[in-house]
Coordinates of all heavy atoms in Angstrom, one line a residue:
G274 N 0.8 -1.2 0.0 CA 0.0 0.0 0.0 C 0.8 1.3 0.0 O 0.4 2.3 -0.4
A275 N 2.1 1.2 0.5 CA 3.0 2.3 0.5 C 3.7 2.6 -0.8 O 4.3 3.6 -1.0 CB 4.0 2.2 1.7
L276 N 3.6 1.6 -1.7 CA 4.3 1.8 -3.0 C 3.5 2.6 -4.0 O 2.3 2.7 -3.9 CB 4.5 0.4 -3.6 CG 5.4 -0.6 -2.9 CD1 5.5 -1.9 -3.7 CD2 6.8 0.0 -2.7
P277 N 4.2 3.2 -4.9 CA 3.5 3.9 -6.0 C 2.6 2.9 -6.8 O 2.9 1.7 -6.8 CB 4.6 4.4 -7.0 CG 5.8 4.5 -6.1 CD 5.7 3.4 -5.1
D278 N 1.5 3.4 -7.4 CA 0.5 2.5 -8.0 C 1.1 1.6 -9.0 O 0.8 0.4 -9.0 CB -0.5 3.4 -8.7 CG -1.4 4.1 -7.8 OD1 -1.4 3.8 -6.5 OD2 -2.1 5.0 -8.2
H279 N 2.0 2.0 -9.9 CA 2.6 1.1 -10.9 C 3.5 0.1 -10.3 O 3.5 -1.1 -10.8 CB 3.3 1.9 -12.0 CG 4.4 2.8 -11.5 ND1 4.2 4.0 -10.8 CD2 5.8 2.6 -11.5 CE1 5.4 4.5 -10.5 NE2 6.3 3.7 -10.9
S280 N 4.2 0.4 -9.2 CA 5.1 -0.5 -8.6 C 4.2 -1.6 -7.9 O 4.5 -2.8 -8.0 CB 6.0 0.1 -7.6 OG 6.9 1.1 -8.2
R281 N 3.2 -1.2 -7.2 CA 2.3 -2.1 -6.5 C 1.6 -3.1 -7.6 O 1.5 -4.3 -7.4 CB 1.2 -1.4 -5.7 CG 0.3 -2.3 -5.0 CD -0.6 -1.5 -4.0 NE -1.4 -0.4 -4.7 CZ -1.1 0.9 -4.6 NH1 -0.1 1.3 -3.8 NH2 -1.8 1.7 -5.2
E282 N 1.2 -2.5 -8.7 CA 0.5 -3.3 -9.7 C 1.4 -4.4 -10.3 O 0.9 -5.5 -10.4 CB 0.0 -2.3 -10.8 CG -0.8 -3.0 -11.9 CD -2.2 -3.4 -11.4 OE1 -2.6 -3.1 -10.2 OE2 -2.9 -4.1 -12.1
V283 N 2.6 -4.0 -10.6 CA 3.5 -5.0 -11.2 C 3.8 -6.2 -10.3 O 3.8 -7.4 -10.7 CB 4.8 -4.4 -11.8 CG1 5.7 -4.1 -10.7 CG2 5.4 -5.3 -12.8
I284 N 3.9 -5.9 -9.0 CA 4.2 -7.0 -8.0 C 2.9 -7.8 -7.8 O 3.0 -9.1 -7.8 CB 4.6 -6.4 -6.7 CG1 6.0 -5.8 -6.8 CG2 4.6 -7.4 -5.6 CD1 6.5 -5.0 -5.6
I285 N 1.8 -7.2 -7.7 CA 0.6 -8.0 -7.6 C 0.3 -8.9 -8.8 O 0.0 -10.1 -8.6 CB -0.7 -7.1 -7.3 CG1 -0.6 -6.4 -6.0 CG2 -2.0 -7.8 -7.5 CD1 -1.6 -5.4 -5.7
L286 N 0.5 -8.4 -10.0 CA 0.2 -9.1 -11.2 C 1.2 -10.3 -11.3 O 0.8 -11.4 -11.6 CB 0.3 -8.2 -12.4 CG -0.8 -7.2 -12.5 CD1 -0.6 -6.3 -13.8 CD2 -2.2 -7.9 -12.6
R287 N 2.5 -10.0 -11.0 CA 3.5 -11.0 -11.2 C 3.5 -12.1 -10.1 O 3.6 -13.3 -10.4 CB 4.9 -10.3 -11.3 CG 6.1 -11.3 -11.5 CD 6.1 -11.8 -12.9 NE 7.3 -12.7 -13.1 CZ 7.1 -14.0 -13.3 NH1 5.9 -14.5 -13.5 NH2 8.2 -14.7 -13.5
H288 N 3.5 -11.6 -8.9 CA 3.6 -12.6 -7.8 C 2.3 -13.1 -7.2 O 2.3 -14.3 -6.8 CB 4.5 -11.9 -6.7 CG 5.9 -11.7 -7.0 ND1 6.8 -12.7 -6.8 CD2 6.5 -10.7 -7.6 CE1 8.0 -12.3 -7.2 NE2 7.9 -11.0 -7.7
L289 N 1.3 -12.3 -7.1 CA 0.1 -12.7 -6.4 C -1.0 -13.2 -7.4 O -1.7 -14.1 -7.0 CB -0.4 -11.6 -5.5 CG 0.5 -11.1 -4.5 CD1 -0.1 -10.0 -3.6 CD2 0.9 -12.2 -3.5
E290 N -1.0 -12.7 -8.6 CA -1.9 -13.2 -9.6 C -1.2 -14.2 -10.5 O -1.9 -14.9 -11.3 CB -2.5 -12.1 -10.4 CG -3.4 -11.2 -9.6 CD -4.3 -10.3 -10.4 OE1 -4.4 -10.5 -11.6 OE2 -4.8 -9.3 -9.8
G291 N 0.1 -14.3 -10.4 CA 0.9 -15.3 -11.1 C 1.0 -15.2 -12.6 O 1.1 -16.2 -13.3
L292 N 0.9 -13.9 -13.1 CA 1.0 -13.7 -14.5 C 2.4 -13.8 -15.0 O 3.3 -13.4 -14.3 CB 0.4 -12.4 -14.9 CG -1.1 -12.1 -14.6 CD1 -1.6 -10.8 -15.1 CD2 -2.0 -13.3 -15.1
S293 N 2.6 -14.2 -16.3 CA 3.9 -14.1 -16.9 C 4.3 -12.7 -17.2 O 3.4 -11.8 -17.2 CB 4.0 -15.0 -18.2 OG 3.1 -14.4 -19.1
F294 N 5.6 -12.4 -17.5 CA 6.0 -11.1 -17.9 C 5.2 -10.6 -19.1 O 4.8 -9.4 -19.2 CB 7.5 -11.0 -18.1 CG 8.2 -10.9 -16.8 CD1 9.2 -11.8 -16.4 CD2 8.0 -9.8 -15.9 CE1 9.8 -11.7 -15.2 CE2 8.7 -9.7 -14.7 CZ 9.6 -10.7 -14.4
P295 N 5.1 -11.4 -20.2 CA 4.3 -10.9 -21.3 C 2.8 -10.6 -20.9 O 2.3 -9.6 -21.4 CB 4.3 -12.1 -22.3 CG 5.6 -12.8 -22.0 CD 5.7 -12.7 -20.5
E296 N 2.2 -11.4 -20.1 CA 0.9 -11.1 -19.6 C 0.8 -9.8 -18.8 O -0.1 -9.0 -19.0 CB 0.3 -12.3 -18.8 CG 0.1 -13.5 -19.6 CD -0.2 -14.8 -18.8 OE1 0.3 -14.8 -17.7 OE2 -1.0 -15.6 -19.3
V297 N 1.8 -9.6 -17.9 CA 1.8 -8.4 -17.1 C 2.0 -7.2 -18.1 O 1.3 -6.2 -17.9 CB 3.0 -8.4 -16.1 CG1 3.1 -7.1 -15.4 CG2 2.8 -9.5 -15.1
A298 N 2.9 -7.3 -19.1 CA 3.1 -6.2 -20.0 C 1.8 -5.9 -20.7 O 1.5 -4.7 -20.9 CB 4.2 -6.6 -21.0
E299 N 1.0 -6.9 -21.2 CA -0.2 -6.6 -21.9 C -1.2 -6.0 -20.9 O -1.9 -5.0 -21.3 CB -0.8 -8.0 -22.4 CG -2.1 -7.8 -23.2 CD -2.6 -9.1 -23.7 OE1 -1.9 -10.1 -23.5 OE2 -3.7 -9.1 -24.3
R300 N -1.3 -6.4 -19.7 CA -2.3 -5.9 -18.7 C -1.9 -4.4 -18.4 O -2.8 -3.6 -18.3 CB -2.2 -6.7 -17.5 CG -3.2 -6.2 -16.4 CD -4.6 -6.7 -16.6 NE -4.8 -8.1 -16.4 CZ -5.0 -8.7 -15.3 NH1 -5.2 -8.0 -14.2 NH2 -5.2 -10.0 -15.2
M301 N -0.6 -4.1 -18.3 CA -0.2 -2.7 -18.0 C 0.0 -1.8 -19.1 O 0.3 -0.6 -19.0 CB 1.0 -2.8 -17.1 CG 0.9 -3.5 -15.8 SD 2.3 -3.4 -14.7 CE 2.2 -1.7 -14.2

């Protein structure tokens, strides 16, 4: 919650939602 929005989003997508880097790139 203390991170900037884009930093928080990439961590959530990659680690907690389990997306691949290409999938994260598409989502963001």
Side-chain angles (χ1 to χ4, degrees):
L276 296 180
D278 291 346
H279 58 281
S280 297
R281 179 169 59 252
E282 185 71 6
V283 74
I284 290 174
I285 289 174
L286 292 176
R287 179 73 179 117
H288 289 274
L289 300 181
E290 294 191 18
L292 301 186
S293 66
F294 280 119
E296 290 169 330
V297 174
E299 182 178 357
R300 181 79 71 87
M301 297 187 72

